[in-house]
Amino acid sequence: MVSEHSAQTDDEPTALALKILVAGGFGVGKTTLVGAVSEIRPLRTEELLSEAGQSVEDTDGVDQKVTTTVAMDFGRITIRSGLSLYLFGTPGQDRFWFLWDELAQGALGAVVLADTRRLEDCFPAVDYFEHRRIPFVVAVNCFAGARGYGAHDVCRALDLDPGTPVVLCDARDRDSGKEVLIRLVEYAGRMHTARLLNSVG
């Protein structure tokens, strides 16, 4: 969590910038989500998917994908006056997971994108954030042609901790992505407040 202090009068609210991770399996829509909601030109570190990369990744369901994120995606969105989110999209391929610890430093929370056609691909991200006690929401990216599942079904299939939000979204749509981020900020805020109260109780 990063606070930004600029030259402000006493009447102006302190600007707050929060770091959010966007994670999930290969080809689930992380780069698309960051690009859709970002109010600045997003930074992307995509490279063409090599034969070596294809040999270690299951590309069923994402046959048309020809690039992969090799470091991170970065974007920024202003939720309201004085509150901005810095979005860091994590690489989805296993061989780049060593970057996750660096990206997770100082993060308020995370969005775990899920594809119901390849739901098992988001297990590593769910495990990562649960073990590090980083609040997260699961956002089911509703791909065309994918079978529809309710939030309760996804929650049960992923064996999520009670209370972990599951929301349906379209990663291509800015308003849909923004709603996911607002839901995360609200949930992470409640979690951090509860932990603070428990620590002083």
Side-chain angles (χ1 to χ4, degrees):
M1 199 183 311
V2 183
S3 294
E4 290 186 336
H5 299 279
S6 55
Q8 295 170 319
T9 68
D10 291 339
D11 295 332
E12 292 177 328
T14 300
L16 184 65
L18 304 175
K19 182 178 183 181
I20 301 296
L21 299 187
V22 179
F26 173 71
V28 78
K30 300 180 295 295
T31 299
T32 300
L33 177 65
V34 173
V37 301
S38 181
E39 62 200 13
I40 61 172
R41 183 177 179 180
L43 168 68
R44 293 175 173 160
T45 57
E46 290 196 307
E47 297 291 342
L48 288 175
L49 191 58
S50 65
E51 289 185 13
Q54 289 175 328
S55 68
V56 297
E57 291 296 337
D58 177 8
T59 56
D60 287 343
V62 286
D63 315 67
Q64 305 304 312
K65 186 169 174 63
V66 295
T67 60
T68 186
T69 299
V70 295
M72 67 174 185
D73 300 309
F74 174 77
R76 185 190 73 211
I77 179 174
T78 301
I79 297 297
R80 58 171 171 74
S81 177
L83 176 60
S84 297
L85 304 182
Y86 289 154
L87 308 176
F88 292 81
T90 64
Q93 289 188 302
D94 297 9
R95 57 199 173 119
F96 299 121
W97 279 355
F98 65 92
L99 296 169
W100 282 41
D101 286 341
E102 191 70 28
L103 291 174
Q105 289 290 328
L108 173 79
V111 173
V112 176
L113 271 175
D115 178 353
T116 56
R117 300 170 302 177
R118 301 154 53 89
L119 199 56
E120 67 280 359
D121 288 1
C122 70
F123 278 131
V126 168
D127 288 344
Y128 182 90
F129 297 123
E130 283 185 345
H131 289 146
R132 287 160 182 79
R133 301 184 73 224
I134 297 174
F136 67 95
V137 301
V138 173
V140 179
N141 193 6
C142 299
F143 286 91
R147 181 179 169 189
Y149 290 91
H152 179 72
D153 294 327
V154 173
C155 182
R156 188 170 53 187
L158 294 176
D159 193 26
L160 298 176
D161 289 339
T164 302
V166 176
V167 295
L168 306 182
C169 75
D170 181 343
R172 303 165 299 178
D173 182 78
R174 187 177 195 275
D175 289 338
S176 180
K178 186 175 179 180
E179 284 301 315
V180 170
L181 295 171
I182 291 172
R183 185 79 177 271
L184 170 63
V185 170
E186 292 173 345
Y187 174 65
R190 292 195 302 270
M191 292 292 290
H192 285 294
T193 299
R195 290 171 185 171
L196 181 61
L197 292 174
N198 286 337
S199 70
V200 297

